[in-house]
Amino acid sequence: MPHFHHTILAAAMLAAGAAQAATPTPAADAGPNTSARQADINAIVGEISPKRIEAYVNKLVSFGTRHTLSDTVSETRGIGAARRWIKGELERCGAGKLDVVFDGHLHPVDRRIARPVEIVNVVATLPGTQAESRERMYVVSGHYDSRRSDDADATGDSPGANDDASGTAAVMEMACVMSKHKFDATLVFMTVAAEEQGLYGSTDFAEKAKQKKLNIAGMFTNDIIGSSVSDDGKRDNSQVRLFAEGIPAVKELPDATRTLIQTGGENDSTPRQLARLVKEVGERYVPNFKVTIVNRRDRYLRGGDHAPFLDRGFAALRFTEPAEDFNHQHQDVRKEGNLQIGDLPQFVDPAYIAQVARVNAAALASLALAPASPADVKIITAKLTNQTDLTWAANTEPDLVGYRVVWRDTTAPLWQHSKFVGKVTAVTMPLSKDNVFFGVQAVDRDGNVSPATYPMPGR
Ligand SMILES: [Zn+2]
């Protein structure tokens, strides 16, 4: 009996033998259990606290304004006080584990920067513990700056509770909780400034990462993740949107992108592969909460801190609440009749932020425990066949147990089938490469799985 259709086979066995066995016998080569919830990741998800997140949001709002050009001398008001508080909290909660630094640069005057200003990110790094994986890193961010209706107004109140104290609080909570645990790869928890002036904080980090050739295998930004109530008053706390870019809109296509398009792989960019993994892991660890992948870079007319990473070739994604209320972002606090306008803490829902943080944390933990995505994956096209020959380079992690080939119909958004193939670097699949999309994932002994790598045609 062929065992390359695990999902279908298991269903058929269940239907046929429902009376005798509750669980189907796994095939001999099933490999480690890749769908079980792991105790350590469960613990992290359980430790994420809506109460602490609420306290972080309220404290951030208490600085009055966090405008990028606001006061930096006061201990109680302005962006300087805010970032010193963020740094202090991370140093306190992650003592001995997190390496917390101010990462700043002097930004010159431009259209939205009225005077030269120091733009400072607060970067907390949790170094990986496996030599083979330590250089691989995952970055999660929120922006701690805020704005008013007039984005040049650096003195008036701008609470920014949802945009983006929500994302900042989620990142702080993840940093504090996850620093108590160990991961093979490195995690970077970052809160950035000057998102509202032109993504300058994240651009500076992404550009330096590119210059230093850092191996950032994934990046998530959390921006406006604070409310489950949309502008029509409907509450939907059962999902979060995850924006994932396909083909970048550049004038000159890099060769790799051209090959992706030539083989129909426009839905298999690295951000889309990462998004599939985040959805799978996030929904496993956070029950009754859906990760709704949106196959585009961002919302219309909007941008975010993932963009500078995407523009430099890193796989980056954006988390945002399901339906925004535009009365509660980028607006001066005021009343219009009975309508309260402004980004106030009363309009954020800490329990909802915690759910989004749990999805982030589960995905980050799983990614940082898993091996790297296989490199140099090829689909061999030397001759015409109705099978598929796949090859790849061997991973180096000591806890690697093998590889998993995944595939789906060409019209399907998510992986539909998988086969664990063991510790090999070549496999022939009895399916036509013309009719499905394949991916290859690396698997460790605990069942942690890397994002899939799309095979490029090779000979
Ligand atoms: Zn924002």
Side-chain angles (χ1 to χ4, degrees):
M1 181 159 54
H3 41 223
F4 50 88
H5 258 116
H6 279 175
T7 316
I8 290 170
L9 187 65
M13 287 171 73
L14 266 181
Q20 25 159 278
T23 46
T25 314
D29 67 348
N33 187 341
T34 54
S35 57
R37 285 194 222 165
Q38 296 182 31
D40 212 33
I41 303 181
N42 257 344
I44 290 167
V45 167
E47 286 159 22
I48 301 274
S49 157
K51 272 220 139 38
R52 278 193 301 262
I53 286 172
E54 182 171 26
Y56 291 148
V57 169
N58 288 335
K59 182 69 184 181
L60 287 160
V61 170
S62 80
F63 295 106
T65 174
R66 304 184 309 279
H67 190 281
T68 294
L69 287 100
S70 63
D71 184 38
T72 58
V73 177
S74 165
E75 279 309 316
T76 54
R77 186 176 176 87
I79 194 165
R83 67 177 164 245
R84 287 189 293 277
W85 171 75
I86 294 169
K87 182 164 182 269
E89 281 296 301
L90 295 174
E91 284 168 342
R92 187 187 53 75
C93 78
K97 308 284 185 190
L98 290 174
D99 174 27
V100 189
V101 297
F102 281 147
D103 181 20
H105 74 286
L106 190 68
H107 199 89
V109 172
D110 71 15
R111 194 170 57 86
R112 293 163 83 181
I113 300 280
R115 59 177 166 78
V117 65
E118 189 85 17
I119 291 173
V120 183
N121 300 331
V122 187
V123 182
T125 303
L126 182 64
T129 56
Q130 186 181 77
E132 291 79 2
S133 300
R134 195 173 294 137
E135 304 285 299
R136 175 165 45 98
M137 55 181 75
Y138 300 90
V139 178
V140 61
S141 83
H143 70 86
Y144 71 92
D145 64 312
S146 64
R147 61 166 287 179
R148 289 169 57 86
S149 301
D150 171 6
D151 71 15
D153 182 349
T155 55
D157 278 353
S158 87
N162 194 351
D163 188 10
D164 185 31
S166 67
T168 301
V171 169
M172 292 176 70
E173 177 66 3
M174 280 185 260
C176 293
V177 165
M178 296 181 80
S179 65
K180 314 278 186 292
H181 298 259
K182 283 193 166 71
F183 305 95
D184 295 344
T186 293
L187 293 171
V188 178
F189 305 92
M190 177 164 76
T191 69
V192 305
E195 194 274 348
E196 303 291 7
Q197 311 308 121
L199 315 176
Y200 294 139
S202 69
T203 299
D204 184 60
F205 186 94
E207 180 59 26
K208 285 192 279 203
K210 187 189 172 192
Q211 302 288 336
K212 288 187 268 186
K213 295 191 162 56
L214 294 187
N215 176 8
I216 297 176
M219 186 273 178
F220 312 152
T221 189
N222 286 271
D223 197 354
I224 310 177
I225 57 162
S227 170
S228 52
V229 180
S230 69
D231 53 1
D232 61 5
K234 285 208 186 83
R235 179 180 294 278
D236 177 5
N237 56 11
S238 67
Q239 61 171 317
V240 64
R241 288 183 291 173
L242 182 61
F243 288 84
E245 185 173 58
I247 303 294
V250 292
K251 284 193 173 163
E252 298 283 330
L253 287 180
D255 286 348
T257 308
R258 190 184 309 277
T259 307
L260 207 60
I261 298 170
Q262 278 167 341
T263 54
E266 54 269 18
N267 198 14
D268 286 65
S269 64
T270 54
R272 296 261 165 98
Q273 303 289 22
L274 185 62
R276 287 184 182 104
L277 190 100
V278 171
K279 180 178 174 67
E280 185 184 334
V281 174
E283 292 180 355
R284 182 187 312 151
Y285 284 95
V286 189
N288 306 314
F289 194 71
K290 188 178 169 206
V291 178
T292 303
I293 298 173
V294 181
N295 276 348
R296 52 169 53 111
R297 180 180 170 95
D298 208 329
R299 302 102 75 228
Y300 281 96
L301 298 174
R302 310 296 291 271
D305 288 324
H306 59 317
F309 287 82
L310 286 169
D311 292 344
R312 287 159 183 80
F314 300 115
L317 304 170
R318 176 193 183 117
F319 284 100
T320 296
E321 64 196 32
E324 294 162 80
D325 186 335
F326 303 104
N327 282 328
H328 301 143
Q329 36 174 285
H330 298 193
Q331 299 264 11
D332 294 351
V333 177
R334 64 190 188 279
K335 278 259 175 123
E336 286 186 3
N338 284 330
L339 188 63
Q340 178 68 58
I341 314 272
D343 192 352
L344 293 164
Q346 70 206 63
F347 302 116
V348 308
D349 173 356
Y352 180 77
I353 301 173
Q355 289 289 75
V356 180
R358 289 177 183 122
V359 168
N360 275 262
L364 288 167
S366 187
L367 286 162
L369 289 167
S373 294
D376 202 22
V377 181
K378 289 201 178 83
I379 201 158
I380 302 301
T381 59
K383 57 182 194 299
L384 293 170
T385 77
N386 282 315
Q387 307 192 108
T388 304
D389 298 310
L390 294 165
T391 67
W392 55 91
N395 278 49
T396 58
E397 296 88 350
D399 55 339
L400 181 101
V401 289
Y403 302 88
R404 185 165 86 159
V405 176
V406 285
W407 65 97
R408 65 182 204 276
D409 295 341
T410 60
T411 52
L414 304 171
W415 299 119
Q416 296 170 309
H417 312 282
S418 69
K419 176 179 164 62
F420 183 76
V421 298
K423 214 165 177 173
V424 296
T425 55
V427 69
T428 298
M429 301 296 293
L431 286 163
S432 171
K433 57 189 166 294
D434 300 321
N435 301 343
V436 297
F437 287 126
F438 283 106
V440 181
Q441 301 172 311
V443 186
D444 80 357
R445 72 168 93 87
D446 298 323
N448 296 300
V449 175
S450 76
T453 304
Y454 183 77
M456 290 298 193
R459 300 180 76 82

